[in-house]
């Protein structure tokens, strides 16, 4: 216990501190013991200040805890004002920083204390009576302003430009921090000399910032995502005069980071990397400051078609959150290139690991990077269009598919699966994404999937098939989303490989068994999605897709069975009884998986005991997306929901909200199984003949039936005439065939574009803080505190 009073263990009893007897704020000799000692690290502070003692002081000597917080903030303010010229001052600042990082979570976990930092401290003036207006600042604001000043403090966190520049205290306040941005990149051309001491100091200050922002972890998730985090709100407001240089510094430090170590393989084995902890901290602070519900505001994003720069005055004023505002206004091509290259380089890092093991340092912050990439695309439409303008988007796609495939069996990585799928859904709403997928796939990243020769579209379909057929149960709610992505890109896919074509038909076969169709109220939607994929390819990309046409012909009985699906009660009951006692999501037989790629390892489940955090449910696909129709000239127009056209259960997609949320997780695990349960969540639902009829009559089978009617007799004739068993001859015939004039009039292309909504905003908040909670283990900032935003669970 003595550790509290003096890190070096001199025996001052903590009882003086816990006793109800308040210690005067003016008793400097007493308080200075807390930060004077030099030999300390943040880990020491955590070891020396046990949770039980912080809580004891909070309960039994609240005034002493209040004074301690006040004095620690006061020291930071003094350090920021003086400019931290001496080693002693720097040490005091760092120790206060560590102490506050240790104590803040215990302030946040107690609702009675939560307002403490937002109150002004009575009678705790800084001496002179002329500072009343200064003293009126809430403690939280003083703390945040001091930390931002300290982040641009010459010789402490940034390189001093001139030896004699900061002669007097007020100069710290007059320095132009835009000249001290930490790294070259967006809006800044000069790359300062690396200085690991500065990096370490920045990292400690950013850790304190993140801890300040973490008040969000102690509030239960609510659908009302508008309850803004007061710490973030103040930090990202015009009150923070360093907002722009700090935003730029964080973004540039992340995007410029090269874990390989200056392009030399294996270099990381020679040098300790001081930059990585700073990059991780910067990425986490950045995504937390960008936690902003864009669905409730007029987002300042600029449509990609507008002329002029994104910083024009004609823009809407944009959100009060300056970080979101700045992010949305980046517009220079070279800035976009820098960000995209940086994010792609870091996301590909774990893949490089697989074919050049240990050549680069393996980074662990890919989840934070995915959230950052999501925010960039969501808040800055020009960036989204830039990403899709060239095949660089594939450098983001391949790592995402790698993560999805790798995490599919691991229950502790459900959140990673969701963010990956969300990003692909957002990208798939743009025509260019589908077009880019036609690029041949030649990178041979070892993945646990069948070997194939083809395009990035084939890779996407094969990975999605693998997730659906061999992922764990909790991923079932993502099926709608995975198939929506395939539907969105399908009109643009020029030529699917035979492997991918077979995978799509295998999914249709699995999803159209009677027990699956009749066992949950929404299962038939998956069949509608797949039929829409086949229709799009046949109508818009028939030439070049002979593999798919051949696969459809081979599996024609699946389509005939669907057309003749029984609707009487007896058959429905019989269909349900065929359901196995413990059904696999999908049988893996007849999926012709073949050999997996060389060097790949099977996707592994989580180690027992792995910690994970729960997630809130995400909205149904109908809430998550909005339908747009593609016109002849390629432009899209949004479709109003067709209220009158179909009854809710008739419209295969209108009903996605009537059973379950689209992705119940964690504490709602019973919801996760809704797809395969024979009743909906209420346990009341049973399939009726009317219900089956209501959607069976709308199955879009006309195009496929017409195709079969025309081509099957021709293919059979060739087989008989030539005695063929060899498929290459049939494929050659199909390649040169045409259905022009024989198919029904092509339907308009429907794209389901992601639309921002408060449900996903809340999901992102719980996911992001869950990642940050689990990743900060040294020191374990929030461990064992009473977090409310999510539950911590063991697999």
């Amino acid at each position: 216990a003595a550790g509290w009073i003096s890190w070096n263990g001199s025996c001052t009893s903590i009882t003086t501190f816990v006793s109800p007897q308040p210690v005067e704020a003016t008793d400097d000799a007493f308080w200075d013991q807390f930060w004077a000692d030099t030999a300390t690290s943040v880990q020491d502070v955590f070891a020396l200040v046990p949770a039980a003692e912080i809580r004891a002081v909070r309960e039994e000597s609240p005034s002493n805890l209040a004074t301690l917080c006040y004095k620690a903030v006061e020291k930071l303010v003094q350090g920021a004002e003086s400019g931290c010229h001496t080693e002693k001052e720097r040490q005091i600042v760092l120790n206060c920083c560590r102490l506050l990082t240790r104590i803040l979570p215990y302030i946040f976990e107690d609702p009675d204390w939560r307002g403490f930092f937002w109150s002004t401290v009575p009678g705790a003036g800084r001496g002179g009576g002329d500072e009343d207006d200064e003293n009126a600042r809430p403690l939280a604001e003083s703390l945040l302003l001091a930390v931002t000043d300290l982040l641009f403090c010459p010789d402490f966190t940034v390189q001093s430009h001139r030896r004699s520049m900061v002669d007097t205290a007020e100069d710290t306040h007059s320095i132009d921090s835009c000249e001290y941005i930490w790294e070259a990149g967006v809006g800044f051309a000069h790359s300062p000399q690396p200085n690991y001491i500065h990096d370490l100091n920045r990292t400690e200050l950013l850790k304190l910032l993140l801890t300040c922002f973490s008040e969000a972890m102690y509030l239960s998730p609510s659908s009302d995502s508008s309850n803004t985090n007061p710490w973030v709100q103040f930090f990202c407001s015009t009150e923070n005069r360093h907002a722009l240089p700090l935003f730029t510094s964080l973004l540039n430090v992340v995007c410029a980071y090269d874990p390989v170590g200056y392009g030399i393989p294996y270099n990381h084995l020679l040098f300790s990397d001081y930059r990585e902890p700073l990059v991780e901290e910067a990425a986490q602070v950045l995504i937390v400051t960008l936690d902003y519900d864009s669905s409730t505001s007029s987002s300042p994003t600029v449509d990609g078609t507008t002329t002029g720069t994104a910083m024009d005055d004609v823009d809407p004023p944009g959100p009060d959150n300056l970080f979101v505002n700045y992010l949305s206004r980046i517009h220079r091509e070279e800035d976009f290139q820098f960000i995209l290259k940086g994010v792609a380089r870091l996301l590909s890092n774990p893949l490089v690991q697989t074919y050049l093991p240990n050549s680069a340092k393996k980074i662990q912050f890919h989840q934070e990077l995915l959230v950052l990439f999501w925010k960039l695309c969501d808040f800055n439409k020009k960036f989204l269009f830039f990403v899709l303008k060239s095949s660089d988007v594939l450098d983001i796609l391949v790592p995402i598919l790698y993560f999805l495939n790798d995490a599919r069996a691991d229950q502790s990585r459900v959140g990673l699966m969701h963010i990956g799928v969300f990003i692909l859904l957002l990208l798939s709403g743009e025509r260019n994404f589908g077009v880019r997928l036609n690029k041949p796939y030649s990178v041979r990243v070892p993945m646990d999937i069948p070997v194939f020769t083809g395009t990035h579209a084939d890779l996407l379909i094969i990975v999605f098939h693998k997730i659906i057929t061999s992922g764990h149960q909790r991923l079932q709610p993502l099926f709608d989303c995975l198939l929506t992505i395939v539907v969105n890109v399908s009109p643009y896919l020029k030529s699917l490989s035979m492997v991918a074509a077979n995978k799509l038909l295998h999914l249709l076969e699995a999803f159209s068994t009677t027990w699956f169709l009749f066992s949950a109220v929404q299962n038939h939607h998956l069949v509608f999605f797949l039929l829409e994929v086949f229709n799009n390819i046949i109508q818009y990309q028939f030439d070049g897709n002979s593999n798919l046409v051949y696969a459809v012909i081979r599996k024609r009985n699946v389509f005939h069975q669907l057309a003749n699906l029984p609707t009487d009660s007896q058959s429905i009951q019989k269909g349900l009884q065929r359901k196995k006692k413990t059904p696999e999501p999908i049988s893996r037989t007849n999926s012709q998986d073949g050999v997996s790629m060389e060097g790949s390892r099977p996707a592994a489940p989580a180690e027992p005991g792995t910690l994970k955090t729960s997630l809130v449910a995400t909205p149904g696909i109908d809430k998550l997306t909005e339908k747009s129709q593609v016109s002849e000239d390629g432009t899209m127009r949004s479709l109003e929901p067709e209220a009158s056209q179909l009854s809710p259960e008739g419209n295969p997609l209108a009903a996605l909200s009537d059973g379950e949320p689209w992705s119940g997780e964690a504490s709602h695990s019973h919801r996760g199984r809704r797809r395969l349960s024979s009743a909906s969540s209420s346990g009341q639902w049973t399939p009726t003949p009317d219900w089956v009829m209501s959607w069976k009559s709308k199955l879009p089978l006309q195009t496929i039936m017409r195709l079969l009617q025309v081509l099957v007799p021709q293919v059979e004739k060739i087989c008989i005439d030539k005695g063929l068993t060899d498929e290459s001859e049939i494929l050659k015939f199909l390649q040169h065939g045409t259905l022009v004039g024989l198919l029904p009039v092509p339907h308009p292309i429907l794209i389901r574009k992601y639309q921002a909504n408060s449900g996903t905003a809340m999901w992102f908040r719980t996911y992001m803080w869950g990642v940050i909670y689990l990743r900060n283990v040294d020191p374990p900032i929030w461990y064992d505190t009473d977090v409310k935003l999510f539950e911590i669970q063991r697999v």
Side-chain angles (χ1 to χ4, degrees):
W4 257 78
I5 295 305
S6 175
W7 309 124
N8 55 19
S10 64
C11 293
T12 323
S13 164
I14 189 168
T15 49
T16 56
F17 192 61
V18 179
S19 74
Q21 209 50 51
V23 183
E24 287 301 319
T26 49
D27 184 353
D28 285 341
F30 175 84
W31 296 109
D32 284 351
Q33 303 173 87
F34 281 93
W35 21 83
D37 195 63
T38 48
T40 171
S41 70
V42 68
Q43 286 78 8
D44 294 341
V45 174
F46 273 67
L48 291 165
V49 183
E53 292 185 10
I54 304 176
R55 290 192 176 112
V57 175
R58 188 182 71 197
E59 303 312 319
E60 294 158 40
S61 318
S63 72
N64 286 351
L65 182 59
T67 308
L68 179 69
C69 291
Y70 168 72
K71 297 297 284 186
V73 172
E74 184 184 52
K75 285 288 171 204
L76 290 180
V77 171
Q78 286 168 4
E81 283 177 352
S82 74
C84 283
H85 293 305
T86 67
E87 193 46 49
K88 182 173 188 240
E89 283 178 288
R90 289 172 200 158
Q91 206 48 60
I92 288 174
V93 162
L94 290 171
N95 282 341
C96 290
C97 202
R98 293 158 186 158
L99 192 61
L100 285 166
T101 302
R102 180 60 171 143
I103 293 172
L104 274 167
Y106 298 90
I107 302 264
F108 294 151
E109 74 174 358
D110 184 336
D112 295 337
W113 273 84
R114 219 167 278 148
F116 167 71
F117 269 85
W118 293 97
S119 59
T120 49
V121 182
R126 303 195 195 118
D130 54 343
E131 293 186 27
D132 277 346
D133 53 341
E134 253 308 297
N135 293 338
R137 260 203 195 287
L139 207 50
E141 295 185 3
S142 303
L143 170 56
L144 290 172
L145 293 175
V147 172
T148 55
D149 278 342
L150 287 164
L151 285 167
F152 292 100
C153 185
D155 289 326
F156 180 53
T157 49
V158 291
Q159 220 75 43
S160 173
H161 287 188
R162 286 199 306 284
R163 275 282 136 242
S164 61
M165 192 179 123
V166 186
D167 291 336
T168 53
E170 59 270 19
D171 277 341
T172 329
H173 285 289
S174 61
I175 80 167
D176 177 5
S177 43
C178 286
E179 294 173 12
Y180 291 88
I181 288 170
W182 301 349
E183 186 56 76
V186 176
F188 194 66
H190 167 67
S191 186
Q193 199 50 44
N195 180 319
Y196 83 95
I197 299 284
H198 293 174
D199 276 3
L200 293 175
N201 294 342
R202 291 164 177 173
T203 304
E204 297 227 39
L205 287 161
L206 290 180
K207 215 181 268 304
L208 173 56
L209 269 184
L210 198 58
T211 310
C212 291
F213 297 158
S214 71
E215 184 179 318
M217 281 197 213
Y218 298 89
L219 305 172
S220 308
S222 68
S223 51
D224 175 26
S225 57
S226 60
N227 51 2
T228 44
N229 182 329
W231 295 85
V232 172
Q233 192 175 11
F234 179 80
F235 181 78
C236 297
S237 73
T238 48
E239 295 268 1
N240 177 359
R241 71 187 185 95
H242 302 294
L244 180 59
L246 197 50
F247 168 77
T248 314
S249 293
L250 296 171
L251 184 63
N252 292 354
V253 157
V254 172
C255 295
Y257 179 54
D258 185 357
V260 176
Y262 314 102
I264 310 163
Y266 304 99
N267 200 26
H268 73 104
L269 300 174
L270 308 176
F271 300 106
S272 178
D273 181 357
Y274 295 101
R275 185 74 5 153
E276 190 184 18
L278 174 65
V279 175
E280 290 203 1
E281 216 65 55
Q284 292 178 0
V285 168
L286 205 47
I287 60 177
V288 169
T289 52
L290 295 170
D291 176 17
Y292 179 80
D293 182 359
S294 56
S295 67
T296 57
S297 66
S298 57
S299 170
T301 51
V302 182
D303 179 50
T305 53
T306 55
T307 51
T309 69
M311 298 293 253
D312 282 347
D313 297 336
V314 293
D315 275 359
D320 301 333
N321 178 324
L322 290 179
F323 277 38
V324 174
N325 208 330
Y326 297 144
L327 185 80
S328 69
R329 297 166 85 97
I330 297 171
H331 62 281
R332 287 171 32 206
E333 295 261 318
E334 55 270 39
D335 290 343
F336 287 157
Q337 189 63 35
F338 165 74
I339 294 171
L340 181 57
K341 278 274 180 279
V343 173
R345 179 194 325 110
L346 292 169
L347 284 178
S348 315
N349 164 276
L351 286 61
V352 176
Q353 292 293 320
T354 53
Y355 47 85
L356 286 174
N358 301 325
S359 60
K361 182 166 180 172
K362 187 160 187 178
I363 63 160
Q364 303 294 335
F365 56 98
H366 48 274
Q367 298 192 90
E368 292 93 320
L369 286 165
L370 290 170
V371 175
L372 178 60
F373 183 75
W374 168 270
K375 299 278 182 198
L376 280 156
C377 293
D378 194 24
F379 293 152
N380 189 325
K381 287 294 171 267
K382 284 194 165 178
F383 177 73
L384 177 62
F385 295 128
F386 177 84
V387 168
L388 293 165
K389 203 170 70 172
S390 74
S391 54
D392 287 351
V393 65
L394 302 175
D395 299 336
I396 300 285
L397 170 75
V398 172
I400 288 177
L401 291 175
Y402 173 86
F403 292 129
L404 291 178
N405 188 58
D406 188 55
R408 69 178 193 267
D410 183 342
Q411 296 235 0
S412 69
R413 293 197 280 168
V414 170
L416 171 62
M417 298 293 293
H418 276 72
I419 176 97
V421 172
F422 275 154
I423 289 173
L424 298 183
L425 178 66
L426 181 70
L427 294 174
S428 75
E430 307 296 333
R431 173 184 178 273
N432 265 356
F433 182 64
V435 174
R436 299 285 159 233
L437 290 179
N438 291 308
K439 188 175 176 179
Y441 176 67
S442 51
V443 204
R444 286 288 168 241
V445 176
M447 281 163 84
D448 164 31
I449 53 170
V451 179
F452 72 97
T453 304
T455 65
H456 285 76
D458 295 307
L459 176 69
L460 178 129
I461 287 167
I462 291 165
V463 169
F464 283 10
H465 172 270
K466 198 85 174 171
I467 293 167
I468 291 170
T469 56
S470 66
H472 56 80
Q473 289 281 94
R474 288 272 173 84
L475 298 179
Q476 299 218 354
L478 276 177
F479 291 1
D480 291 327
C481 214
L482 291 167
L483 293 186
T484 298
I485 295 165
V486 181
V487 173
N488 281 348
V489 300
S490 59
Y492 311 110
L493 304 183
K494 293 196 180 319
S495 133
L496 286 184
S497 68
M498 190 61 91
V499 177
N502 284 334
K503 297 297 179 210
L504 286 175
L505 278 135
H506 175 239
L507 289 179
L508 182 71
E509 210 172 354
F511 288 149
S512 56
T513 59
T514 48
W515 77 259
F516 184 74
L517 283 173
F518 296 159
S519 66
V521 70
Q522 301 168 349
N523 285 355
H524 61 279
H525 297 161
L526 299 172
V527 169
F528 277 80
F529 282 136
L530 284 162
L531 292 175
E532 204 175 328
V533 170
F534 297 136
N535 288 338
N536 282 341
I537 294 178
I538 292 166
Q539 286 282 19
Y540 291 99
Q541 299 290 349
F542 180 81
D543 302 340
N545 270 301
S546 50
N547 288 330
L548 183 77
V549 173
Y550 177 65
V552 166
I553 291 172
R554 271 189 53 223
K555 293 282 183 188
R556 56 190 178 275
N557 62 328
V558 179
F559 299 97
H560 290 302
Q561 278 166 8
L562 268 175
N564 300 315
L565 190 73
T567 55
D568 58 290
S569 302
Q570 203 181 351
S571 305
I572 292 175
Q573 283 317 308
K574 211 162 105 188
L576 285 171
Q577 279 150 18
R578 298 237 299 275
K579 182 176 164 183
K580 313 178 186 55
K581 289 288 166 273
T582 51
E584 285 275 317
I586 282 188
S587 74
R588 288 176 206 154
T589 49
N590 64 30
S591 151
Q592 299 114 6
D593 244 15
V595 190
S596 272
M597 294 171 87
E598 197 181 334
S600 65
R601 293 189 318 276
E607 292 287 314
T610 305
L611 286 179
K612 69 188 190 77
T613 54
S614 61
L615 293 163
V616 294
T618 45
I621 195 81
D622 61 326
K623 299 266 192 316
L624 203 60
T625 55
E626 138 186 286
K627 289 188 196 168
S628 299
Q629 195 169 310
V630 181
S631 317
E632 303 275 312
D633 60 358
T635 55
M636 288 196 197
R637 63 184 181 82
S638 173
L639 293 180
E640 289 305 306
E642 328 88 8
S644 54
Q645 204 180 327
L646 297 170
S647 61
E649 71 274 6
N651 177 349
L653 302 169
L656 275 176
S657 50
D658 57 83
E660 286 293 317
W662 165 66
S663 166
E665 220 289 281
S667 50
H668 329 281
S669 60
H670 65 278
R671 295 180 183 166
R673 292 192 289 276
R674 58 110 182 178
R675 279 244 174 270
L676 300 176
S677 60
S678 55
S680 69
S681 54
S682 59
Q684 298 310 302
W685 181 83
T686 46
T688 62
D690 284 351
W691 172 77
V692 178
M693 277 304 297
S694 71
W695 55 261
K696 179 192 165 181
S697 60
K698 300 191 178 71
L699 284 167
L701 286 164
Q702 304 80 340
T703 299
I704 293 167
M705 288 309 186
R706 184 76 184 124
L707 174 138
L708 293 172
Q709 196 187 349
V710 173
L711 292 179
V712 170
Q714 298 182 5
V715 170
E716 282 174 344
K717 186 175 185 317
I718 294 176
C719 292
I720 293 161
D721 289 357
K722 300 199 172 168
L724 279 186
T725 48
D726 174 26
E727 57 185 46
S728 62
E729 284 290 322
I730 301 167
L731 282 168
K732 203 175 288 175
F733 162 73
L734 292 173
Q735 268 161 14
H736 297 106
T738 174
L739 290 175
V740 173
L742 297 172
L743 291 177
V745 176
H747 54 280
I749 296 172
L750 267 192
I751 302 291
R752 293 173 185 85
K753 288 174 79 106
Y754 167 81
Q755 55 171 356
N757 60 76
S758 48
T760 39
M762 199 64 227
W763 183 89
F764 270 97
R765 182 173 302 168
T766 52
Y767 169 59
M768 170 183 80
W769 279 114
V771 168
I772 290 171
Y773 177 97
L774 292 173
R775 299 255 300 106
N776 282 274
V777 287
D778 184 27
I781 301 181
W782 300 282
Y783 189 70
D784 265 349
T785 58
D786 189 13
V787 170
K788 292 275 196 301
L789 184 62
F790 44 77
E791 293 171 29
I792 295 99
Q793 300 158 335
R794 286 192 187 276
V795 174

